[in-house]
Amino acid sequence: MPRSLQEKSKLLLLGAGESGKSTVVKQMTIIHKSGYNEDSRKKFINVIINNAIVSLTNITQAMNAITPNVEFGDPARKADVEKLLAVDLLDTTATQLPDGAPDVMKRLWLMKEFRSASSVLTNTNLWILQSIT
């Protein structure tokens, strides 16, 4: 190993309470040292599933706010939206998307109307949705 990688460095993080100092340390450890273990990954599956569904739901709501009773080019997409809105987001034990949900999400995300309304999303949620296609 090169000498520079073997040397230890110290980092002083300054900031007000609740400003994210501990989070930075945890993220640096995850990224540069150990990564996530299997248990940690399993704990985040539900969060990612809910974020993806909530993101598409937010887009749907934004589309309706801009153009009430938005018309979809394909009537089957309206049924897809209804399926998506029926998903139980309170199920904190879910480790996979409900049957058919990945296909519904992909079809909706591939619609230009959905992608053009994606400005209502955070960067993380946008990345999750872009990853499903």
Side-chain angles (χ1 to χ4, degrees):
M1 218 176 219
R3 181 176 169 91
S4 62
L5 292 178
Q6 293 175 345
E7 294 177 8
K8 289 188 177 186
S9 298
K10 292 185 180 185
L11 176 66
L12 175 63
L13 296 174
L14 300 175
E18 300 297 318
S19 64
K21 299 177 296 290
S22 296
T23 302
V24 169
V25 172
K26 290 174 189 173
Q27 290 297 318
M28 295 296 282
T29 302
I30 290 167
I31 293 169
H32 296 289
K33 190 175 180 187
S34 60
Y36 283 110
N37 62 30
E38 193 62 31
D39 288 337
S40 294
R41 284 190 198 117
K42 286 179 181 177
K43 288 178 186 176
F44 286 108
I45 289 172
N46 181 263
V47 172
I48 293 168
I49 288 170
N50 281 338
N51 280 348
I53 293 170
V54 166
S55 295
L56 284 173
T57 302
N58 288 344
I59 291 173
T60 302
Q61 291 169 343
M63 288 172 64
N64 283 326
I66 294 167
T67 309
N69 302 317
V70 66
E71 292 293 324
F72 295 102
D74 181 350
R77 296 302 74 84
K78 186 169 177 90
D80 284 343
V81 168
E82 291 169 5
K83 287 179 192 173
L84 183 71
L85 295 175
V87 173
D88 180 13
L89 295 176
L90 299 177
D91 181 3
T92 58
T93 61
T95 57
Q96 63 184 25
L97 288 163
D99 286 341
D103 293 331
V104 166
M105 294 170 70
K106 187 173 184 174
R107 285 192 302 265
L108 291 174
W109 183 245
L110 290 173
M111 290 176 54
K112 65 178 184 197
E113 297 90 347
F114 263 75
R115 288 193 313 278
S116 65
S118 65
S119 61
V120 299
L121 301 178
T122 64
N123 287 339
T124 303
N125 292 344
L126 185 59
W127 179 85
I128 290 170
L129 291 174
Q130 288 171 337
S131 298
I132 67 173
T133 57

